[in-house]
């Protein structure tokens, strides 16, 4: 193994690969070769660090070197969900539930029987012989190479995940909810594959919870056929000692629509990456999110939307509230290729600083090579308006309540963009709960 | 009800009010008139307790209590209401939520029972009707996209719902056409009662045709330079403020 192996964490991952290699899913087929190539390039590059433009504000190398995660153990016994409200979020919805503990699927805790005809749900190991899975895993986006390169780590070490395929024209009757619980400390590598064929529709909810010092490395690969519609909502509320790295790669067919929303409340360090590429005309992508941070939390949102074809619309809005010494990051890019006329591409990030020690770094970018397009991007960072606080208090609303109202109003603006009214209500409840914790 | 004695107020290190004495008894409506920069708005903000308005000398007592000891929301719960010259737009908070939160916060602070959704809705509709505030307006974000007239009507609705002991109306006539002014004035007049006092701050006499005051004060250069009956307002309308040590603006 060549390359820069000075870093402890990267070395641990390579060693973990060597130790697990023969036991990993797909050890006897194409994936074994793919994994070998991936770990080699990972070992060469090492973990990403601040000197890379796309990781400028989040030093994953330093974070993981310091944390020193071993591989998460397999957890066989009963599990106890954390007390946090996020742990039971979505439980009021009629849904299929797939539970993953320490990154591994637990059939005994899951409830996904009687799926409609034309809907297939599998573990990662079960689909590796299928061409569509291979296509999704091997696909690359490359528009943000430094950011995407870390997917190699996942490819080399992924040992479980949810694979959802919805056949042409089939509509999933209720959401699939993936509940990821970090019951013990350590690193887990999960790969989810989602294929919606032409005109198929479905909703996938993810929650990532846990009180352990864990490192979750999740890659979700999505392909939407022409006219397909996927709603994807991800909630992350892991412990202050946890590190969370989630990458969503989506290829969107003609007239298809991806609506993705992320709520980030937890983790010491988290990074959510989205790579979206339009493969057919008249498609839509909504990549939105909210985050509420406190203490020394650090959350990085990275989003690239590639308008490779004409007449597609993309909208990205991330809004966050930062208290304590927390730090938020937004890096986004909308690329409009020379042929992608009539593109409508928008990107906006807004942060509200509740403390003098909180910080926000925002870098929205547009790269436009077509002339008949509508594109806009913007970024604001501000504090709660003193005038607004005075106005509310002058009506008898105590200061803490006035602040709560204004913060929730600020976030509600983006929560409104999440799919499904019931889901929005759940997200609102979580944000409201976060604020009450903050003020007690 | 309100006793102001030798009140000196500084804003950003600059003295704006330079010794105000004012007594407003229960049930009285006092108008405070004066040119721009005379300290009218400062007086309204200092009554409401706005940050940055520092009382350097003198006192304000409200129903026997020293106001300087009370925070902004405590003053509101005690019965002081300021109708803003420029009501703020609060995106994301519906007018309905705002009104309910405010009313229940005040009731709670006074040890009264909070209203449930049903009773609140009934009450707010009853108060909103005479002010031509419909459900659609109540469901919108507070003051967002409201016209000038709608904003002022919403202020009067807040006042009507919160039933303050002392209402301070800061340039409530600004930006209103004559019809809107009448609606707002009717709303205010409906709230006049022997227990409720009002301070109507205005640059122009026009508003006082509709909200007829018991006493008129002229504020100039941070002091009350003249006090009289309602006829004083008419006098000012003719002669302007030129005779009161300020430009005729």
């Amino acid at each position: 193994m060549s390359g820069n192996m000075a870093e402890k964490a990267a070395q641990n991952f390579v060693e973990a690969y060597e130790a697990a290699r023969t036991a990993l899913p797909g050890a006897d087929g194409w994936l074994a070769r793919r994994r070998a190539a991936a770990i080699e390039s990972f070992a060469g590059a090492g973990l990403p660090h601040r000197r890379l433009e796309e990781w400028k504000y989040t030093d994953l190398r330093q974070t993981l070197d310091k944390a020193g995660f071993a591989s998460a153990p397999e957890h066989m016994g009963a599990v106890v969900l954390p007390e946090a409200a996020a742990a039971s979020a979505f439980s009021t919805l009629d849904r299929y539930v797939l539970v993953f503990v320490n990154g591994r699927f637990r059939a005994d805790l899951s409830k996904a029987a009687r799926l409609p005809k034309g809907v297939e749900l599998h573990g990662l190991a079960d689909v590796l012989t299928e061409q569509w899975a291979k296509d999704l895993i091997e696909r690359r986006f490359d528009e943000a190479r430094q950011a995407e390169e870390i997917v190699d780590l996942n490819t080399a070490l992924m040992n479980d995940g949810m694979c959802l395929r919805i056949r042409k024209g089939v509509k999933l009757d209720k959401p699939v909810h993936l509940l990821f619980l970090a019951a013990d400390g350590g690193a887990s590598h999960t790969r989810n594959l989602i294929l919606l064929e032409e005109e198929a529709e479905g909703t996938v909810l993810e929650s990532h919870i846990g009180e352990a010092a864990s490192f979750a490395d999740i890659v979700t690969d999505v392909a939407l056929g022409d006219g397909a519609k996927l709603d994807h909502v991800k909630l992350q509320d892991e412990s202050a000692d946890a590190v969370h790295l989630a990458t969503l790669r989506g290829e969107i067919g003609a007239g298809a629509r991806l609506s993705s929303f992320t709520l980030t409340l937890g983790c010491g360090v988290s990074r959510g990456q989205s790579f979206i590429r339009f493969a057919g005309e008249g498609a839509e992508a909504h990549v939105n999110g909210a985050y509420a941070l406190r203490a020394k939390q650090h959350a990085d949102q990275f989003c690239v939307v590639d308008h490779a074809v004409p007449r597609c619309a993309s909208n990205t809005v991330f809004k966050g509230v930062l208290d304590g010494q927390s730090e938020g990051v937004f890096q986004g890019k909308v690329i409009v290729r020379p042929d992608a006329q009539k593109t409508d591409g928008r990107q906006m990030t807004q942060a509200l600083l509740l403390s003098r020690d909180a910080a926000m770094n925002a870098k929205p970018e547009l790269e436009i090579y077509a002339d008949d397009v509508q594109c806009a991007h913007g970024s604001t960072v501000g504090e709660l308006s003193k005038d607004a606080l005075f106005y509310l208090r002058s009506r008898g609303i105590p200061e803490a309540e006035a602040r709560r109202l204004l913060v929730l109003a600020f976030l509600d603006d983006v929560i409104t963009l999440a799919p499904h009214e019931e889901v929005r209500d759940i997200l609102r409840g979580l944000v409201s709960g976060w604020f009450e914790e903050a003020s007690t | 009800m309100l006793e102001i004695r030798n009140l000196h107020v500084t804003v950003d290190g600059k003295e704006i009010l330079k010794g105000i004495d004012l007594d407003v008894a229960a049930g009285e409506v006092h108008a405070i008139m004066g040119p721009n920069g005379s300290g009218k708005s400062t007086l309204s903000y200092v009554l409401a307790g706005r940050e940055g308005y520092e009382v350097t000398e003198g006192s304000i007592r409200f129903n026997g209590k020293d106001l300087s000891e009370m925070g902004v929301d405590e003053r509101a719960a005690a019965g002081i209401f300021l109708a803003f010259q420029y009501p703020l737009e609060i995106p994301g908070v519906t007018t309905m939520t705002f009104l309910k939160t405010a009313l229940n916060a005040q009731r709670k602070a006074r040890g009264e029972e909070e209203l449930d959704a049903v009773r609140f809705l009934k009450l707010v509709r009853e108060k909103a009707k005479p002010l031509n505030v419909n459900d659609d307006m109540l469901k919108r974000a507070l003051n967002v996209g409201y016209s000038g007239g709608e904003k002022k009507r919403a202020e009067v609705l807040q006042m009507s719902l919160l039933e303050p002991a002392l209402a301070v109306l800061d340039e409530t006539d600004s930006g209103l056409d004559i019809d809107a002014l009448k609606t707002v004035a009717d709303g205010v007049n409906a709230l006049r009662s022997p227990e409720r006092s009002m301070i109507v701050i205005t640059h122009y006499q026009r508003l006082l045709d509709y909200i007829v005051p018991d006493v008129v004060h002229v504020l100039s250069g941070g002091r009350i330079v003249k006090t009289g009956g309602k006829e004083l307002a008419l006098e000012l309308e003719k002669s302007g403020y030129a005779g009161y040590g300020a430009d005729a603006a």
Side-chain angles (χ1 to χ4, degrees):
Chain A
M1 207 63 63
S2 64
N4 181 355
M5 289 305 302
E7 315 95 38
K8 194 175 64 180
Q11 196 169 339
N12 286 347
F13 287 131
V14 174
E15 282 165 14
Y17 167 78
E18 294 297 345
R21 190 165 55 93
T22 52
L24 288 168
D28 51 359
W30 63 272
L31 185 55
R33 292 188 297 279
R34 182 73 197 85
R35 287 184 192 273
I39 200 72
E40 189 168 337
S41 70
F42 169 76
L47 283 159
H49 50 80
R50 262 175 205 277
R51 293 187 303 281
L52 301 175
E53 185 60 26
E54 289 163 7
W55 291 88
K56 193 171 171 181
Y57 306 104
T58 302
D59 200 323
L60 193 65
R61 177 179 292 185
Q62 198 187 55
T63 302
L64 292 179
D65 277 346
K66 212 164 110 191
F69 295 110
S71 295
E74 192 160 359
H75 188 110
M76 304 297 279
V79 292
V80 182
L81 288 180
E83 296 267 324
S88 52
F90 305 132
S91 63
T92 50
L93 303 176
D94 187 17
R95 76 232 198 267
Y96 303 105
V97 193
L98 276 70
V99 177
F100 292 77
V101 180
N102 295 354
R104 288 179 181 83
F105 178 58
R106 285 282 299 269
D108 57 324
L109 303 174
S110 301
K111 204 178 65 190
R114 288 191 293 276
L115 288 162
K117 198 165 174 289
V119 178
E120 298 159 31
L121 262 175
H122 301 285
L124 182 67
D126 303 325
V127 295
L128 294 175
T129 53
E130 295 188 30
Q131 187 61 39
W132 70 272
K134 183 169 188 279
D135 289 346
L136 276 186
I137 290 168
E138 297 211 308
R139 188 183 49 171
R140 290 195 72 103
F141 282 71
D142 278 337
E143 282 75 30
R145 264 190 52 81
Q146 293 172 350
E148 197 184 11
E149 213 163 34
I150 190 64
V151 171
D152 281 334
L153 175 65
N154 186 280
T155 303
L157 280 162
M158 61 189 187
N159 57 6
D160 215 335
M162 183 271 320
C163 302
L164 168 68
R165 179 183 190 175
I166 307 181
R167 299 282 181 169
K168 183 174 171 179
V170 174
K171 291 173 178 56
L172 186 58
D173 56 339
K174 46 191 180 182
V176 170
H177 176 202
L178 311 176
L179 179 66
F180 292 91
L181 171 67
D184 307 287
S188 63
H189 308 269
T190 308
R191 187 68 153 254
N192 301 318
L193 305 177
I194 301 173
L195 170 67
L196 267 57
E197 296 180 358
E198 279 169 62
E199 308 288 337
E201 291 179 19
T203 296
V204 175
L205 310 170
E206 280 181 47
S207 34
H208 298 264
I209 54 173
E211 290 169 338
S214 57
F215 170 49
D217 161 27
I218 308 119
V219 176
T220 302
D221 278 314
V222 174
L224 301 186
D226 294 352
K229 290 185 173 66
L230 175 67
D231 292 330
H232 178 245
V233 177
K234 174 171 165 278
L235 160 66
Q236 189 272 102
D237 193 13
E238 289 153 302
S239 91
D241 304 320
V243 178
H244 184 93
L245 169 66
T247 303
L248 171 76
R249 300 191 295 183
E251 188 156 272
I252 307 183
R257 190 192 71 204
L258 169 70
S259 180
S260 139
F261 189 91
T262 313
L263 176 63
T264 300
L265 299 174
C267 264
V269 176
S270 63
R271 164 125 163 163
Q273 315 193 103
S274 303
F275 304 92
I276 307 297
R277 179 163 63 206
F278 290 112
E281 295 188 19
E284 270 178 62
H286 305 269
V287 183
N288 302 312
Y291 52 96
L293 309 174
R294 63 165 67 102
K296 293 190 171 176
Q297 283 184 279
H298 174 104
D300 181 338
Q301 327 284 339
F302 184 96
C303 176
V304 178
V305 181
D306 185 357
H307 284 262
V309 295
R311 278 178 281 281
C312 291
S314 71
N315 192 26
T316 297
V317 181
F318 276 90
K319 293 188 79 162
V321 176
L322 301 143
D323 204 352
Q325 295 149 280
S326 65
E327 190 175 25
V329 179
F330 176 85
Q331 287 196 84
K333 195 192 275 184
V334 176
I335 301 167
V336 183
R337 305 275 172 192
D339 295 334
Q341 302 297 359
K342 307 285 182 196
T343 285
D344 187 339
R346 289 163 203 281
Q347 213 160 53
M348 169 59 95
T349 173
Q350 294 183 306
L352 192 58
L353 305 182
L354 298 184
S355 121
R356 283 179 191 283
D357 299 320
M360 177 69 199
N361 302 289
K363 208 179 83 175
E365 289 175 90
L366 293 173
E367 240 182 74
I368 303 175
Y369 303 102
D371 48 18
D372 184 13
V373 300
Q374 284 200 324
C375 286
H377 66 168
S379 164
T380 65
V381 180
E383 298 173 3
L384 277 181
S385 153
K386 282 203 171 106
D387 292 344
L389 271 176
F390 172 62
Y391 187 55
L392 297 189
R393 292 185 66 201
S394 79
R395 298 308 182 240
I397 301 175
E399 183 166 7
E401 176 68 7
R403 288 171 72 89
R404 192 183 75 93
L405 271 180
L406 294 175
V407 168
L408 297 186
F410 173 79
L411 291 178
D412 199 62
D413 197 41
V414 67
I415 290 175
T416 305
L417 303 176
H420 306 295
E421 189 55 43
E422 307 91 312
V423 170
R424 288 194 286 274
D425 285 342
I426 290 166
L427 299 176
R428 287 187 184 110
L430 290 169
V431 169
S432 176
W434 177 89
F435 198 84
E436 270 142 38
E437 268 173 65
S439 45
T440 51
Chain B
M1 177 168 293
L2 182 72
E3 296 166 29
I4 300 180
R5 292 286 171 272
N6 188 31
L7 181 67
H8 290 252
V9 173
T10 306
V11 182
D12 287 334
K14 193 177 167 214
E15 186 167 69
I16 307 291
L17 298 185
K18 300 167 181 172
I20 301 265
D21 289 285
L22 179 66
D23 284 279
V24 180
E28 286 180 356
V29 174
H30 287 232
I32 295 186
M33 302 186 69
N36 293 331
S38 58
K40 300 192 300 291
S41 284
T42 298
L43 180 62
S44 72
Y45 285 143
V46 82
L47 285 171
R50 186 171 198 153
E51 211 180 305
Y53 290 73
E54 199 194 341
V55 176
T56 52
E57 213 184 317
S59 68
I60 311 173
R61 299 186 76 79
F62 177 65
N63 285 334
K65 277 186 276 186
D66 181 0
L67 271 194
S68 66
E69 303 290 312
M70 297 162 78
V72 178
D73 43 286
E74 290 171 308
R75 295 179 192 206
I80 293 180
F81 180 92
L82 168 63
F84 280 54
Q85 182 178 5
Y86 302 109
L88 272 92
E89 299 190 0
I90 312 285
V93 179
T94 66
T95 302
M96 197 71 104
T97 302
F98 166 75
L99 291 173
K100 185 161 180 262
T101 309
L103 180 63
N104 278 337
Q106 290 204 12
R107 292 181 70 99
K108 194 175 164 193
R110 292 192 294 258
E112 297 163 15
E113 191 199 347
E114 294 179 42
L115 292 188
D116 62 30
V118 177
R119 283 168 64 203
F120 172 77
L121 193 64
K122 189 168 173 280
L123 179 67
V124 78
R125 284 194 173 136
E126 179 192 311
K127 302 277 190 185
K129 205 171 170 221
L131 290 162
N132 292 329
V133 174
N134 57 25
D135 275 12
D136 175 58
M137 236 174 106
L138 293 170
K139 281 179 198 152
R140 277 150 65 191
L142 181 60
N143 293 327
V144 176
Y146 285 19
S147 67
E150 283 174 331
K151 282 181 183 168
K152 296 297 168 79
R153 269 152 49 206
E155 291 289 289
V156 178
L157 171 60
Q158 291 172 32
M159 183 171 135
S160 158
L161 198 66
L162 298 173
E163 300 183 317
L166 172 68
V168 181
L169 281 69
D170 188 6
E171 308 264 4
T172 291
D173 50 332
S174 72
L176 295 186
D177 62 31
I178 198 73
D179 292 332
L181 182 66
K182 276 184 188 162
T183 310
V184 167
D186 287 347
V188 172
N189 286 328
L191 293 170
R192 287 179 80 151
S193 90
E195 292 82 39
R196 181 171 294 129
S197 310
M198 294 187 188
I199 295 176
V200 181
I201 291 172
T202 183
H203 186 102
Y204 302 103
Q205 184 270 340
R206 187 179 72 151
L207 178 67
L208 304 180
D209 287 342
Y210 299 96
I211 304 173
V212 180
D214 301 305
V215 186
V216 175
H217 307 275
V218 180
L219 188 64
S220 181
R223 289 189 184 86
I224 289 176
V225 292
K226 191 164 185 180
T227 296
K230 60 185 180 229
E231 65 287 346
L232 178 56
L234 293 167
E235 205 178 289
L236 282 168
E237 181 72 1
K238 282 192 209 115
S239 56
Y241 295 111
Y244 298 94
D247 52 29

